[in-house]
Structures are given as C-alpha cells and as structure tokens.
Amino acid sequence: MLRRIVGDPLFAFLVAGLALFALYELASGDDAGPVQLTAGTRAALLRDFEAVAGRKAGAEDLARIEHDYIADELLFRDAIANGLHLTDGMVRGRLVEVMRLRAAGELPDPTPEELVNYYSEHLDRYRSEPAASFEHIYFAGPPADPAGTLIALQAGRPVAGEPFPQGERFPRYGQSMLRGLLGQPFVEALWAAPIGQWTGPIQSSAGWHYVLVTERLPPVLLPFDEVREQIETDFLAAAIQDAVDRRVAELEQRYEVRVERNGGMGAQR
C-alpha cells in the first residue's frame, strides 16, 4: 500500500515541493540565496513532466516548466517570509505527513507469517460488532397514550404507527449502523430491552419507538481470509507508527519540550 502511494508521480511532486520547506526552515529573506533553476533540476522536471503527460515536451511545455518552477520558488520564499510554514495548519499537516513517511522509509511487503501473527496478536480488532434484530412501531412525536399503546402491543392487538423510512423490521443491524441512524441512547435502551416482549416507548434521534427485540448477536471472530486486506493495512500503519515513534524519541533528545498542564508548566522532556 505504502509503495503504491510513494510510486505515484503526483505524490513525488508533492514530496519534492514540501521538501523545500524543510530546506528553508532555517533560512529567510535574502539569506536563502538567488533563485536559480539548475540544469539538473530542469532535466528532472522535464522527465517528471513526460512521465506524467506520456509525451515529449515541446517548446511551450519547456517554457511553462521553467516559468512555473521559478514562480513556485518565489511564492514559496514569500510564504516562508510570511511564516506560513509555522502558522498555516494545512501546510504544517502536509509537512508532518511527509516527515512521517520519511521516518518510515520504504517498508517491505509483510510476509504471510507476519500477517497471521499480527492477526493472532490483535484478535479483538477483527471481531464483528454486536447486532440485533427487532421490529418497531414508530411515532414522530410522543405517543398520545404511552402506557395504553404498550399494553395493546403486549396483548397482541394491532397498533397503527407512523411510516419510518427504513421500514418496520431491522434484521441483524450492527450497533454502529443503529447508532448513526437512531443515536447512542436508543442503542443502549435496545440492548437493555427484553427479548421477545414489546417495550417502550424509547426515544431516538428520529422520534419514539415501541420495540420488539427478536435476537441479539454477540461479536464473533472474523476469519483471517475475510479481513486479510484490513490486517495488511493495520500492519503497515503500525510499522509506520513504530518508525515515527523512534524518530520522535530521537528528536526529543535534541529539542526542549514543555507541556503546560492545569494552568502551569509541567515537566520538561
């Protein structure tokens, strides 16, 4: 995954541009020296253009490449002079991301054994979420006779509710889906409701519900092959984070770090 990202020509342009920020971080104004486009840089820009465009560069292309490089360099220096690398959140975020990738380097593809070991060491991450099946009678506002409606439902008498966009039955809906649809308080009440018996009214983010829970399903471990792609993503993310943590630990030895807590300055690191 990381190799595919790094191999993207557009990513290469981004890294090349952002790397200039790091080179100029300690420089400003006239101290940065003259703006110049060397023959080597020009040739590299030309190769990049032709790789992305899929054709040879013409005279107008060459002129545009030179113009854009110089314009970008001048605007970059103007940005540094105005402190955007220190105050602009988007610029800082991109720089941080580039440095995270540089700290990790080019990671090798994980072996099948590494993925299986990672899976076995983090089984809790690869379980299905709790789910429930239920039917409901919906009211947009508080029911006129809450207790009487519940008695009628428990006695098996029909009760006319209001239409609900997702219908009257919810087969094996996971907690996250229900949370997004009806809110966390409703989910908590649903899981506290008895199975096989009408209960309510329960308020949700959409209105009021009488619910009949028919089953609740506990989390189950998902098979390795079913979540292999997610395991590989998690494995690489963990490897990147480990590399970043090591680099940050090195940087903490070079820079004074102060953390302010409770209105005062905490311990220095």
Side-chain angles (χ1 to χ4, degrees):
M1 178 185 66
L2 181 63
R3 188 170 295 155
R4 290 197 298 270
I5 296 173
V6 174
D8 191 321
L10 295 179
F11 177 83
F13 284 138
L14 173 64
V15 172
L18 293 177
L20 294 175
F21 281 94
L23 295 176
Y24 279 95
E25 202 163 42
L26 299 179
S28 61
D30 295 337
D31 294 336
V35 174
Q36 58 180 344
L37 175 57
T38 66
T41 300
R42 184 177 182 276
L45 291 172
L46 180 60
R47 286 195 301 271
D48 289 340
F49 171 85
E50 292 177 346
V52 173
R55 60 177 176 82
K56 289 290 185 179
E60 292 185 3
D61 297 322
L62 291 173
R64 173 55 61 181
I65 289 171
E66 294 176 358
H67 173 274
D68 288 349
Y69 177 86
I70 294 172
D72 288 350
E73 177 69 12
L74 291 171
L75 290 172
F76 166 77
R77 295 192 182 195
D78 193 32
I80 293 298
N82 285 278
L84 293 189
H85 61 307
L86 300 175
T87 59
D88 188 289
M90 184 176 295
V91 172
R92 287 172 60 88
R94 288 179 177 175
L95 286 171
V96 168
E97 187 60 30
V98 168
M99 296 311 294
R100 286 176 62 88
L101 292 174
R102 288 188 59 183
E106 184 174 356
L107 298 174
D109 291 333
T111 65
E113 182 181 4
E114 287 176 324
L115 292 180
V116 170
N117 289 339
Y118 189 87
Y119 171 73
S120 62
E121 293 167 2
H122 302 87
L123 293 178
D124 286 344
R125 297 184 182 179
Y126 306 109
R127 296 183 184 275
S128 63
E129 64 175 345
S133 298
F134 66 96
E135 55 185 277
H136 74 135
I137 302 296
Y138 168 72
F139 296 91
D145 184 6
T149 301
L150 179 59
I151 292 173
L153 288 168
Q154 291 178 343
R157 297 197 299 271
V159 172
E162 300 175 31
F164 191 73
Q166 281 71 34
E168 297 179 354
R169 289 177 173 80
F170 290 76
R172 299 191 172 185
Y173 270 53
Q175 284 187 343
S176 61
M177 185 176 296
L178 291 172
R179 186 182 304 116
L181 184 63
L182 298 168
Q184 180 61 22
F186 177 88
V187 172
E188 294 175 0
L190 186 69
W191 254 255
I195 294 179
Q197 179 180 333
W198 282 99
T199 187
I202 299 174
Q203 186 175 11
S204 76
S205 57
W208 299 80
H209 311 255
Y210 291 89
V211 299
L212 175 64
V213 179
T214 55
E215 66 173 340
R216 274 195 287 267
L217 304 174
V220 296
L221 182 64
L222 299 173
F224 174 83
D225 290 339
E226 187 176 323
V227 291
R228 181 188 177 98
E229 185 174 339
Q230 183 61 48
I231 294 170
E232 183 172 356
T233 299
D234 294 344
F235 179 91
L236 291 173
I240 292 173
Q241 189 58 53
D242 287 344
V244 171
D245 289 343
R246 290 193 296 270
R247 179 56 177 162
V248 169
E250 295 173 1
L251 294 172
E252 286 181 332
Q253 304 303 313
R254 292 172 50 188
Y255 298 95
E256 180 181 355
V257 179
R258 298 182 179 183
V259 179
E260 186 174 341
R261 297 189 179 96
N262 299 325
M265 190 64 67
Q268 298 183 7
R269 296 158 59 188

